[in-house]
Amino acid sequence: MNEQISVIIPTLNEEQVIAATLRYILKDPLVNEVIVVDGGSKDSTLEIVAAFQKVRLLHASKGRAIQMNVGAEAARGDILFFLHADTIVPLGACERIRESLNQKSVVGGSFYLEFQEENKVLSLIAGFTRINLAISTFGDQGLWLRRETFFAIGGYPEVPIMEDVEIQYPLRAMGQFVKLDVPLVSSARRFLKNGILYQIWLDACILTAYLFGVPPEVLAKWYR
């Protein structure tokens, strides 16, 4: 069964990366539509996206979860593929999504991560994303699932941070969540801007606090 795939990308001031992401995803013949949901960009993100005639540009309140939910509501595809604005999807990835969802036990999944920049520490971080657990699977690894499943679990919880982990708990409870052996290539810009070791420390603190029940609203303040 050739289910249609809708790619949904939330943006906020992504002029440095969004064009490359769109060029790569539009090369995939199995992608039926690409939706960019902007949360109020002040740079040239909107102009860049508007130049891609095959991309639908929507607007929403700021907040990645809010933006992705708006995109899902507007999507026409049978399969929703949520992607970050700085992530390159290799050809063949969407075919693997379709193949996986042909298995009745599979309800959704993701890929693992590689960074554009070569660095031994970043390679170790990327290796962590191969582990198939909710707490090692984040939005930059590309979450995908059927549209009907997305709405059955209530979509993304509209929290300011960790929405990508939160949505996995009801999803994984429904059936098998798979992590495909395909790398998505992401920018390491956060690590390079803040310092690799500092960013690792910050991410570890946020994740630990989350596991101990600190509310996402508090975590978001710490993260900023």
Side-chain angles (χ1 to χ4, degrees):
M1 181 169 57
N2 292 327
E3 295 177 301
Q4 294 193 337
I5 298 176
S6 294
V7 176
I8 299 167
I9 306 172
T11 57
L12 181 65
N13 299 325
E14 301 287 5
E15 64 179 6
Q16 299 294 325
V17 293
I18 188 60
T21 297
L22 293 176
R23 281 197 297 268
Y24 272 89
I25 196 63
L26 287 170
K27 290 179 182 179
D28 196 316
L30 296 186
V31 171
N32 299 98
E33 68 174 348
V34 177
I35 300 173
V36 170
V37 187
D38 190 74
S41 292
K42 302 300 183 184
D43 62 2
S44 60
T45 297
L46 298 180
E47 290 79 5
I48 293 171
V49 174
F52 288 84
Q53 296 182 354
K54 295 182 180 181
V55 176
R56 296 172 62 190
L57 176 59
L58 305 179
H59 301 271
S61 300
K62 177 182 176 182
R64 187 172 281 157
I66 295 172
Q67 292 167 239
M68 291 188 290
N69 285 339
V70 168
E73 288 282 357
R76 295 185 285 261
D78 308 291
I79 298 169
L80 305 181
F81 181 17
F82 296 95
L83 194 64
H84 280 193
D86 62 348
T87 304
I88 302 301
V89 179
L91 281 174
C94 289
E95 182 177 4
R96 294 290 301 277
I97 291 175
R98 274 189 180 174
E99 290 173 352
S100 293
L101 287 174
N102 282 336
Q103 303 175 53
K104 291 184 179 180
S105 62
V106 174
V107 295
S110 72
F111 300 90
Y112 73 91
L113 200 62
E114 285 186 353
F115 290 107
Q116 294 175 353
E117 298 78 6
E118 291 187 8
N119 180 282
K120 290 182 179 179
V121 178
L122 291 176
S123 294
L124 289 174
I125 297 170
F128 179 70
T129 68
R130 290 175 176 267
I131 302 171
N132 190 5
L133 295 173
I135 59 170
S136 60
T137 304
F138 304 101
D140 52 8
Q141 296 169 47
L143 180 73
W144 45 267
L145 70 171
R146 290 188 181 86
R147 176 187 172 87
E148 60 184 27
T149 304
F150 179 82
F151 288 107
I153 61 176
Y156 279 97
E158 295 187 350
V159 291
I161 196 171
M162 305 302 287
E163 78 288 335
D164 43 5
V165 175
E166 287 281 300
I167 193 176
Q168 290 179 61
Y169 294 129
L171 179 59
R172 288 172 180 265
M174 291 183 67
Q176 184 182 3
F177 184 99
V178 299
K179 185 162 286 193
L180 296 176
D181 189 24
V182 176
L184 300 190
V185 181
S186 180
S187 168
R189 53 185 175 164
R190 286 188 304 118
F191 294 91
L192 299 179
K193 178 182 178 181
N194 300 328
I196 294 176
L197 296 180
Y198 174 78
Q199 189 63 52
I200 292 172
W201 174 82
L202 177 60
D203 290 346
C205 288
I206 294 294
L207 184 56
T208 301
Y210 170 76
L211 293 174
F212 276 93
V214 177
E217 291 76 15
V218 176
L219 296 177
K221 292 180 180 179
W222 293 354
Y223 197 77
R224 287 193 293 267

